[in-house]
Amino acid sequence: MTRASSDRLVVLMGADGRLGSRLAFRVAAAGGRQRLLVTGRGATPRLPDGAPLPETEVVTVPAELTDGSPETTSRVLAGAFAGAHAVFLVPSAVRASRLPLQRAAVDAAVLAGVRHVVHVSSVGAGPDAVSAVARDDWLTEQYLRGTDLSWTVLRASVFHRTLTFAVHTEASGADGAGVLQAPAGDGRVASVSHDDVADVATAVLLDEDQGRHTRRTYHLTGPEALAFDEVAAALAEATGRPIRYVPQTVEQARALFYRSTSAEVEDWITLCQAIERGDLARVSPDVGHLAGRRARSLADWLDDYPAEWAHLRLPSVR
């Protein structure tokens, strides 16, 4: 395990989120000093007995932080970054605030004299990316590259868990049959686990030789690229219920997710279109090189983390 230097403080944005909380536990286990920025939308990481993580300070920032001017947001974050050696920057889940908040965070890192920023981006990020999220992440990458900060970009694939939320129970399925529906055609995706990304982020943030990762871009994927019918088969094997893949049109996807916000629907649809085009099919060795172990396959993740896909279980098979 990577051991932390006692004189270096790292700040984790989004520490009450799924990725940030995993990273917080790893930094604590390595003996690192950290400051967790939380919004109250999720659970603040704590030890099993309810005690705070050792060498950890928690700072609550308002969830509506971007409602103010960019300058105000940057000043608030600069105060939260004070004294930090490195900052972990994870995108906001809310699309409207994603770019403003990330740019404000970069500005705040400059104001606070932070040495290194580790930014979570998307596989396929680019100015002409099909995925709306990947386009946003590219803009943040470019903004970060335009500063004098030392930086590392972690381009993560779609998470294993995300794929499980595209499964719906068939209305006529008396046996609880499910369908994995997505406008992804025959595309393949090398999805990744949150834990693998957290392990890589830990290795980068706590590395004594920061120059090793300066101005480097890593691609974080699982060990295999699966077609959606193979994803459905893996989910069926884990849950014990029939699940099949049914490709959708864009119009069908919009109709199915009508209860979601338009931005959320657009994020999902354009992600699937990127998968169909092959933008997320590449398998990268970077998780193995940086985490020191093989990346978890979807099947491994399903076996290791049943609580993460418990929503797929039917009452009769729980």
Side-chain angles (χ1 to χ4, degrees), residues 1-5 8 10 12 19-32 34 86 88 116 118 120 152 154 194-208 210 213 220 290-291 293:
M1 175 186 291
T2 303
R3 299 305 303 176
S5 172
R8 298 163 87 187
V10 297
L12 310 186
L19 178 59
S21 61
R22 283 165 165 75
L23 178 55
F25 281 111
R26 285 161 169 77
V27 172
Q34 60 183 334
F88 177 71
H116 194 79
V118 177
V120 179
T152 305
L154 307 181
H194 285 86
D195 291 87
D196 285 346
V197 177
D199 282 342
V200 168
T202 303
V204 172
L205 282 166
L206 302 185
D207 197 326
E208 288 291 327
Q210 285 292 295
H213 308 290
L220 310 184
L290 292 160
R293 56 163 181 76

Side-chain angles (χ1 to χ4, degrees), residues 277-295:
R277 197 175 76 163
D279 294 351
L280 282 82
R282 176 195 169 200
V283 174
S284 167
D286 287 349
V287 167
H289 291 163
L290 292 160
R293 56 163 181 76
R294 182 177 181 269

Side-chain angles (χ1 to χ4, degrees), residues 2-316:
T2 303
R3 299 305 303 176
S5 172
S6 60
D7 61 350
R8 298 163 87 187
L9 172 69
V10 297
V11 174
L12 310 186
M13 294 189 69
D16 49 351
R18 192 166 297 277
L19 178 59
S21 61
R22 283 165 165 75
L23 178 55
F25 281 111
R26 285 161 169 77
V27 172
R33 291 176 55 228
Q34 60 183 334
R35 182 179 298 143
L36 309 184
L37 270 55
V38 301
T39 63
R41 286 176 172 163
T44 300
R46 302 183 74 86
L47 295 174
D49 62 0
L53 297 178
E55 298 293 326
T56 298
E57 175 189 359
V58 177
V59 175
T60 300
V61 295
E64 301 78 15
L65 189 63
T66 53
D67 289 349
S69 69
E71 294 78 12
T72 299
T73 302
S74 293
R75 283 198 300 271
V76 171
L77 290 176
F81 294 170
H85 173 85
V87 169
F88 177 71
L89 174 57
V90 63
S92 168
V94 181
R95 187 176 181 190
S97 63
R98 187 180 298 145
L99 273 175
L101 182 56
Q102 290 186 125
R103 286 178 171 176
V106 172
D107 291 342
V110 174
L111 288 171
V114 172
R115 292 188 182 181
H116 194 79
V117 171
V118 177
H119 166 51
V120 179
S121 182
S122 302
V123 165
D128 301 316
V130 173
S131 164
V133 173
R135 290 195 300 272
D136 285 352
D137 285 338
W138 168 256
L139 293 173
T140 299
E141 287 185 21
Q142 293 303 98
Y143 197 74
L144 185 56
R145 289 185 173 101
T147 71
D148 292 330
L149 292 165
S150 170
W151 53 262
T152 305
V153 170
L154 307 181
R155 288 187 178 174
S157 184
V158 60
F159 290 110
H160 293 326
R161 189 171 186 268
T162 300
L163 299 176
T164 69
F165 287 97
V167 176
H168 304 271
T169 300
E170 291 188 278
S172 59
D175 59 351
V179 289
L180 172 62
Q181 296 174 280
D186 297 324
R188 291 181 170 272
V189 57
S191 56
V192 70
S193 75
H194 285 86
D195 291 87
D196 285 346
V197 177
D199 282 342
V200 168
T202 303
V204 172
L205 282 166
L206 302 185
D207 197 326
E208 288 291 327
D209 181 8
Q210 285 292 295
R212 194 195 325 264
H213 308 290
T214 296
R215 296 186 174 266
R216 295 288 302 273
T217 298
Y218 298 118
H219 295 82
L220 310 184
T221 75
E224 57 189 355
L226 300 178
F228 270 57
D229 56 352
E230 294 172 315
V231 172
L235 298 178
E237 175 69 20
T239 61
R241 58 184 292 205
I243 298 176
R244 61 190 178 92
Y245 170 49
V246 177
Q248 292 176 303
T249 65
V250 169
E251 292 72 22
Q252 289 170 331
R254 287 201 176 101
L256 181 64
F257 291 99
Y258 70 95
R259 292 183 179 177
S260 301
T261 67
S262 58
E264 290 172 333
V265 174
E266 191 67 17
D267 284 352
W268 170 247
I269 288 174
T270 57
L271 172 64
C272 290
Q273 290 174 321
I275 292 171
E276 182 176 26
R277 197 175 76 163
D279 294 351
L280 282 82
R282 176 195 169 200
V283 174
S284 167
D286 287 349
V287 167
H289 291 163
L290 292 160
R293 56 163 181 76
R294 182 177 181 269
R296 289 180 178 84
S297 67
L298 175 62
D300 290 339
W301 176 81
L302 289 166
D303 187 51
D304 292 341
Y305 297 95
E308 293 285 279
W309 49 267
H311 57 279
L312 293 181
R313 295 184 183 274
L314 295 172
S316 59

